[in-house]
Amino acid sequence: MDNEIEALADVLGRAVATGPADLCELLTDAAHRSIAAPVLVPRLNRVFSRYQGNPIAGPLASQDLLEVLRVARRRDTTVFEELRTIADAFTEDESAPVAPVARRTPDATANSNAVSGGIFNEAVVQAGSITGGLHTYYGQTPHSGLPPVTDWSQLDRTDPITLGVHRTRRIADEPLLPRYVARDCDPELDTQVRSAARGGGLVLVTGDPLSGKTRTLWAALFTNLSGTTRILAPPHGTDLRALPAMLRARGDAECVLWLDELDGYLGEHGLTAALLAELARLRVPVLATMSDEAYDAYRFGSPEHARLLSGAEPVELGTDWSPAETERLAATAPGDLRLAGAYAHRARHSTTAYLTVGPELFGEWRRARRANAHPLGHRIVLAAIDLARCGVEEAEADVLRRACALYGDAAPVSSEEFDEAREWASRIRHGITGMLVPGTEAGSWRAYGSLVEDAKDGLPGFGAVPLELWLLALEEASSDDAASLVVDTVLSHARVALAQDADTNPQALLTLARIEEEYGDEEAAEVLLRRAADAGSTEAAGRLGSLLFHRDDFVSATPYLEKAAESGDAEAQSLLGSALLRRSEYWLEMAAGSEDGAAALALGDLRRGEGDLQAAMRCYQAAAKRGLRTRVASRIGGVFQDWHYYEDAEKWFRIALDGGDPEAADSLGVVLEELGRTDEAALLYQESAENGSGTGAYNYGAVLNDRGEKTKARAWFARAHDLGHYSAAFLLGESLRDEERHTEAATWFRKAHARGHHRALHALAEAGSLESPY
């Protein structure tokens, strides 16, 4: 260790004796910053006063400096390392290569010019003597293609994106970056930047990836330095050795070296401890960022880089924001949609990651929609985004799969295709997140928050949420453990989103109405259905008509049911028939109450059809009293017959028959049979059959069949069939079968089946002509 100190003292002695004055100033500054300043400063001043500018005093100066270094090593290792760095920088300057001998221009004579006793150092020639006229000198090639200081970017005209600040998404004419939200480390960082601007040095910000290092350092640079400051931000791997010479010629320009991700600039041709010391001597600050992982590897893993980094106290930036930082974000968010989104999703996503990763995810997602990219993965993410827009922030994979089918002409996908696309969508990007991220419940998924905000803020690539997806969202919400809360959320989202399209899209009105009808306010549903129906939606008309029908508002229901019924809606057709029947019943009651006989008769038919025989009889009797005795006689007789009051039934059927009702004969015949007067009944049936009654022919055939007159009976059954009586063919077939005339029987059973007789198929099967359906 003593040998090392002696070597350092020798170098610093030569520096004091032969070096420039600003090198001595560096030594003095270091001594003043030391906790041992009371000892170091007087000793250094003594060295300067004795030996500065004396080329032969190097060895003497080194003896005094030896004691300075020993004190610094014992009491202040930081300053000791600084002195070592200054010594290394001077040693590097001393070892700079001597320029080659100057060459003549091609047309110069052999002894026309000469240079003797000197060196060529870039643009400066130091020579003992120069003779001759024109001299052309070729110095060493510069280490790199660094631009001259005049071409460096001016701070107030610099795009921070070119310095490494991550871009965020922009909406319309928003600024390039959102407003800067102050971080807790800003006061410390500001102090370091101002100090480096005065005396040079390295300002280093460290932190995890996407913690905001570059943006924070940019804010400190922009806040604390003049807008005319020149900035050099070279690419990684740039040879920086020519910087000092370039900067010496800068004049009074303020300059900054910007090294984002510092580990890309380290190495013998990059930023070294010696170069940093030289830049400090030129009062040029170096502003840099570095990941925590890279800093730890270089600071504690390599002595060479440790010497560079040990002189800087890094400003550490955390990924997680403190409560104070979050409060400042909340205060700033209302003025910027990007910050508002970051604040809304702060519980799930790092704020800086949200702002920086979001645009990358959005860009990749949009391009994935192409047929030769990942269209299914694109659709899965879109489904998750749209479900979140509906109020369902996370959903199971099966729900996402069902949702995917609701977009346009999406073709069905297999489980394997879906799983493969979902894996693509959830793959981690930028070391931070996927487009699709796991939800809080096992097996559930949700879209990354910035993508949801992109959709809400109207970025291109998003359309309206498919109408059927709202219903799927509610179905999913209602199955949730906290169903009431989630349903309320979806309902409130639907009311806002769907109402926006209400004036131009009847289907949006209809969808919102369906949601209100099932999960919300029935009165609101009715208003919406009416608007949609009036705008031309036949489905809305059917739903509104049904709603009104079940409220017994048949008058209001009828026109809407009629519109839906005309479009082919079977349910509307049925309800319309019932509504019209109810309306008919209402008006018939009104007319019957006004002593209208025809209304009483029609109302009686309605009541009898409903099975209310007592009410039917009252209506028929009222009609008879009002002049329709003959017309209503058969109906009254029929009611008495249903009650088995056959004598009363006979009386009224005879009144009907005498009044000219041709159907009364058949009905009277049936009653007479019930009374045991079969011969009288047979005569009535025969007369009715001869007058063209199919029922009469059938009944007469049945009487003859019972008497054993099979041949005559079959003739009347055939005539009854011809007159339209469907059961006659079946009885004829049975009669033929009884006589084992199976072929003929089968023919008549088929005719009976064609007329709809329920036993015809079974009879055919028994005859061997058809397999039994039973």
Side-chain angles (χ1 to χ4, degrees), residues 373-374 376-377 380 414-427:
H374 296 279
L376 179 55
I380 292 173
S414 66
S415 298
E416 293 76 12
E417 290 173 321
F418 179 84
D419 290 341
E420 182 180 348
R422 181 187 54 75
E423 288 176 7
W424 172 84
S426 58
R427 191 182 69 221

Side-chain angles (χ1 to χ4, degrees), residues 448-461:
Y448 187 75
S450 66
L451 294 173
V452 177
E453 295 301 321
D454 290 340
K456 292 179 180 178
D457 294 339
L459 263 66

